[in-house]
Amino acid sequence: VIPSIQWWCSARGIGWTWNWQPFPGVWLFVAVAGAIALRRARRGRAGWCAAAVVLLWLTLEWPVGPLGAGYLASVHAFQFMMLAMVLPPLFLLVSDGRATAPARASRSPLGRLERMVRHPLLAMVVFGAMILITHAPRVVDPLMRSQLGSFALDLGWFASGLAFWWWLVPADGGPSRLPSGLRVPYLFLGTLPHLFIGMWLLLAPLPVYATYELAPRVFALSAMDDQQVAGAVILLLGAGEVLGVITYLFFRWAREEEQRDATAAAGARAALSA
Amino acid sequence: MQAPLARDQSWCRGPADRQGCGRSFERGHEIAAERAPGTQAGQPRAPSITMTSAVSTGDLAAPARRRVSRIGGHAASLPKHMRFATTRRASLRLAAISIALAACRNDAPARRQAFHGAEIAPPKAKPDFTLLTTADAPFHFREATSGRLVLLYFGYTSCPDVCPVQMAVLTSAWRRLSFDDQRGIDVVFVTVDPEHDTPDRLRAWVDNFDHRIIALRGSVDEVNRIQQSLGLPPSAAEGNATDGSPRVGHFSPILAFTPDDSLRVLYPFGTRADDWATDLPRLLAVHGGRPRSAARGALAINGVVAAAPASVGTLADETMAVYLTIIGPPTGDTLLGARSAAARSATIHMMDGGGSMTGMASTPLVIPAGGRVRFAPGGLHVMLTGLTRHFVPGDTLSLTLSFRSAGDVTATARVVSYEQLQRALDEPDPRLTQPRP
């Protein structure tokens, strides 16, 4: 029996098979995202941009997409990490300034709204809230049953991830938009919900999501084991990435301080010699 | 004999069956999430009130069917925008009515007793049937499970989706219960595909979930008669899947027989481990309290098996080893010795790691509090020396163990051949021998 074609991956409750399924919505989404990204790619970064697009496609395409949508919480967690934590900074790194232009300075209502929306605190709160809300069983289980709901989850992670990382990723190779002293607290506080979600999934005594608990089993992995792997994926990937970025930000800050000191010293020497 | 039921959402056919069981498992989580209007999965649900009339007429599949049809029927037939609006309005009205009723009535204790499955009113008596275990021993269902909470499931090992999920969810909750509660429960799996489910295959499959599951086999006709006696539709072979594995349509809910030996609740696909964890202690407490309440917390002996001796000469020279498991009481106990009318002497022996006999175990043998001491080949065993008669597989003999606190406990050992010994020891034995009160 040929299952009905879906435009986006969602939980269907039928046994898993390794027969390829088409997801036209995924292709369209990746094509649009890819077109925008390639058009706005920085010079010399087209290759990296294409790699980011391919990574986005692999994250959403069969078999990862349907496995994460209806069978394995661990794959779903992997998709979440990719869409919220890996792909947004990657896309921002390869894009030019037009895609991430600073808020307009006008005093018009639109300008005020844009400045308000483009506030780091708001981006951080939205990102954290998105993570918490989209991992609540009462949200996940109903959403995963419909293609639109599943699409909304994926899009929400990606969009909130773009807004969050926009403040940290250096624009056009220059400094980050956030002052150096705020970057680490921003990153730490913004990704704190990851820690909470990862620990919760790892330590929960029973499966928390009906979608994955009642799904036909894949790879003989029990629902509890699968959930614990999901928690570990979020904890390890999230913590690894955050620690890596914090280390990078620290050394970058140290280098900036050294350069500033060197500039100041050179200025002082020039003043003395004059 | 009840008339077979029409196949419906409680009927499991296979992954492609989206109208039958497929619907049930396709939207299985909806059953949990939307079992009662206005409630979510994991929330306490109001007692179901829709199934009593149907069940009283013998239609046991009706609760599960009606429950699912309530989910997928009316709401699904509406346009999406109307569905949302209708649901929201209905929810608001329902919430207002619920609040008003809650304020007027004080029926909270009654609500707490509700089960997450479909309750059957009036409950049906436990059927009396005999099938074979995976060790090819007869299992008298009513007698062997009398006074215990029994969760009976009809399924098959090639089932691609519903059977493994039902068993996995149930056993994950079972393992989370207290030790005493776990001991009061028998999970019985009856295969509806005896042609392909050989004893070894069946044993291996149920062991994936829990080695204590009692797996039973019988002919298709026997199993169908049992199902029909319960008012369930008979299972039916439905050809093979594309990968060649057999497909059998069967009734998919789990049947819960409470310790008063009556069928009280049906648990359809979609019941979650959280629901089971809540319901199992309640089911144990139904009518007459917990099973074996007189012996709760007492020492118990389980799985007593003797290996039939090979004839080595005179009867007086024959020896026979008896294996068993002792379940310690909460306070612990000490095994002082053993005796049997079937032999001149009965001593507790221990084999060392190399397989040679080291003679008497260090007596008295301490039985740790709440722990299990297993007498098994290659380790502890009761050695009967100087048998009073020839024992052959199928015979039974009486063995009395003396404990410091529990006193004498007499158990009946089943004699099996050496070839059957390991399987007999692996086979879960729900019968516990306990001290007389």
Side-chain angles (χ1 to χ4, degrees):
Chain A
V1 176
I2 301 169
S4 58
I5 290 180
Q6 291 190 303
W7 63 272
W8 201 267
C9 319
S10 67
R12 294 202 286 179
I14 58 176
W16 171 258
T17 64
W18 287 101
N19 298 327
W20 175 79
Q21 301 160 48
F23 293 102
V26 169
W27 304 338
L28 188 65
F29 180 78
V30 173
V32 170
I36 294 172
L38 284 170
R39 206 157 58 94
R40 298 188 168 180
R42 284 161 55 186
R43 290 187 64 181
R45 294 286 177 98
W48 282 102
C49 187
V53 173
V54 169
L55 211 52
L56 175 67
W57 175 64
L58 291 176
T59 302
L60 299 173
E61 177 58 83
W62 186 93
V64 178
L67 273 176
Y71 297 91
L72 293 172
S74 48
V75 178
H76 186 68
F78 170 75
Q79 281 186 297
F80 158 67
M81 292 305 296
M82 291 298 291
L83 289 170
M85 295 287 283
V86 176
L87 288 166
L90 202 54
F91 272 98
L92 290 168
L93 273 171
V94 298
S95 73
D96 63 10
R98 282 183 300 155
T100 55
R104 65 184 70 185
S106 78
R107 287 171 168 268
S108 67
L110 197 64
R112 279 204 293 273
L113 179 69
E114 192 176 336
R115 279 197 300 278
M116 194 174 74
V117 169
R118 283 195 172 184
H119 194 281
L121 191 63
L122 186 68
M124 190 179 74
V125 169
V126 166
F127 187 59
M130 177 66 75
I131 290 166
L132 290 175
I133 291 168
T134 56
H135 283 87
R138 289 181 191 181
V139 174
V140 172
D141 285 333
L143 285 183
M144 294 309 288
R145 289 203 297 272
S146 77
Q147 298 171 65
L148 195 62
S150 181
F151 170 70
L153 267 186
D154 293 342
L155 187 64
W157 290 339
F158 190 58
S160 62
L162 282 173
F164 177 77
W165 287 99
W166 186 82
W167 293 96
L168 286 171
V169 175
D172 288 333
S176 302
R177 294 171 179 86
L178 268 184
S180 56
L182 289 178
R183 288 173 205 159
V184 171
Y186 174 85
L187 179 64
F188 178 73
L189 290 175
T191 53
L192 209 54
H194 282 79
L195 190 69
F196 171 75
I197 296 293
M199 291 294 284
W200 175 58
L201 291 177
L202 204 58
L203 301 177
L206 290 170
V208 296
Y209 300 116
T211 304
Y212 302 108
E213 183 182 6
L214 301 175
R217 301 312 324 149
V218 182
F219 306 132
L221 195 64
S222 74
M224 272 308 292
D225 292 344
D226 175 42
Q227 180 169 287
Q228 285 166 350
V229 172
V233 164
I234 293 176
L235 268 182
L236 295 178
L237 281 185
E241 182 180 353
V242 168
L243 280 177
V245 173
I246 285 177
T247 308
Y248 168 78
L249 288 174
F250 173 77
F251 282 109
R252 189 184 172 94
W253 169 79
R255 200 177 61 194
E256 285 172 6
E257 289 296 306
E258 275 177 16
Q259 283 174 350
R260 193 180 302 159
D261 290 348
T263 309
R269 275 198 301 273
L272 279 173
S273 62
Chain B
M1 180 80 66
Q2 308 292 344
L5 297 166
R7 293 170 185 176
D8 54 27
Q9 285 84 356
S10 54
W11 179 262
C12 174
R13 189 174 284 167
D17 178 16
R18 307 191 54 201
Q19 297 302 315
C21 165
R23 180 154 181 188
S24 167
F25 64 74
E26 181 187 7
R27 295 296 183 198
H29 27 268
E30 288 183 11
I31 296 173
E34 302 176 36
R35 184 171 291 120
T39 62
Q40 294 285 327
Q43 279 187 329
R45 283 173 273 271
S48 183
I49 54 169
T50 58
M51 64 287 297
T52 51
S53 60
V55 174
S56 63
T57 59
D59 184 353
L60 284 192
R65 180 178 64 233
R66 198 166 296 187
R67 178 155 288 180
V68 179
S69 65
R70 191 170 55 194
I71 296 162
H74 173 65
S77 63
L78 293 171
K80 199 173 271 182
H81 66 282
M82 281 178 66
R83 208 184 306 166
F84 174 72
T86 308
T87 308
R88 190 173 55 178
R89 258 182 251 128
S91 301
L92 287 171
R93 280 183 203 144
L94 192 67
I97 293 167
S98 303
I99 292 166
L101 285 175
C104 297
R105 294 174 57 190
N106 186 19
D107 61 348
R111 231 182 293 141
R112 274 199 297 272
Q113 290 304 313
F115 296 109
H116 288 95
E119 290 181 53
I120 294 163
K124 287 181 74 94
K126 185 183 278 184
D128 190 11
F129 62 82
T130 301
L131 294 175
L132 291 178
T133 65
T134 49
D136 284 334
F139 187 87
H140 308 291
F141 180 71
R142 188 191 285 173
E143 179 194 336
T145 63
S146 177
R148 299 170 61 74
L149 170 58
V150 182
L151 302 160
L152 175 64
Y153 188 69
F154 294 94
Y156 65 113
T157 63
S158 306
C159 182
D161 31 50
V162 175
C163 307
V165 173
Q166 284 276 58
M167 297 310 288
V169 171
L170 169 61
T171 50
S172 70
W174 187 20
R175 283 194 294 271
R176 294 201 60 78
L177 299 178
S178 69
F179 180 68
D180 277 348
D181 282 350
Q182 287 188 46
R183 269 174 47 192
I185 298 173
D186 289 332
V187 176
V188 180
F189 182 92
V190 177
T191 177
V192 294
D193 182 22
E195 184 188 344
H196 299 94
D197 290 345
T198 60
D200 288 340
R201 180 186 169 105
L202 188 56
R203 187 73 255 156
W205 190 81
V206 295
D207 282 350
N208 284 330
F209 305 103
D210 198 297
H211 72 279
R212 294 169 298 178
I213 295 174
I214 300 163
L216 301 178
R217 297 174 72 249
S219 69
V220 172
D221 288 342
E222 281 176 311
V223 174
N224 281 345
R225 268 199 299 275
I226 294 164
Q227 292 186 90
Q228 285 177 314
S229 74
L230 286 162
L232 308 179
S235 54
E238 296 180 340
N240 291 335
T242 50
D243 62 355
S245 57
R247 289 287 175 267
V248 181
H250 63 95
F251 187 71
S252 62
I254 294 174
L255 286 65
F257 295 88
T258 43
D260 59 345
D261 288 347
S262 55
L263 174 57
R264 198 167 285 274
V265 191
L266 296 180
Y267 287 92
F269 181 82
T271 306
R272 301 187 58 192
D274 192 30
D275 301 332
W276 280 116
T278 310
D279 277 13
L280 288 176
R282 289 180 186 166
L283 289 165
L284 274 166
V286 165
H287 283 257
R290 292 173 185 278
R292 305 176 192 285
S293 54
R296 248 174 80 81
L299 177 141
I301 299 173
N302 175 248
V304 190
V305 177
S311 290
V312 291
T314 63
L315 199 57
D317 296 331
E318 282 192 358
T319 59
M320 183 157 60
V322 183
Y323 305 101
L324 50 97
T325 299
I326 301 172
I327 302 162
T331 52
D333 208 332
T334 306
L335 175 62
L336 301 173
R339 65 178 186 277
S340 173
R344 195 176 62 243
S345 72
T347 48
I348 298 160
H349 279 209
M350 167 73 96
M351 302 279 275
D352 66 12
S356 56
M357 198 79 75
T358 57
M360 291 282 286
S362 56
T363 51
L365 187 68
V366 174
I367 311 298
R372 283 171 182 251
V373 176
R374 191 164 187 228
F375 287 51
L380 280 169
H381 58 274
V382 179
M383 179 60 80
L384 303 181
T385 311
L387 301 181
T388 55
R389 68 177 179 92
H390 284 296
F391 283 94
V392 294
D395 289 344
T396 59
L397 62 91
S398 179
L399 177 72
T400 301
L401 299 178
S402 297
F403 294 90
R404 180 165 289 156
S405 300
D408 286 354
V409 181
T410 301
T412 301
R414 185 159 56 93
V415 180
V416 299
S417 66
Y418 272 107
E419 291 74 30
Q420 290 178 320
L421 179 63
Q422 195 55 51
R423 186 187 282 180
L425 289 169
D426 289 343
E427 178 81 3
D429 181 4
R431 289 161 296 190
L432 298 176
T433 304
Q434 297 185 298
R436 293 180 186 278

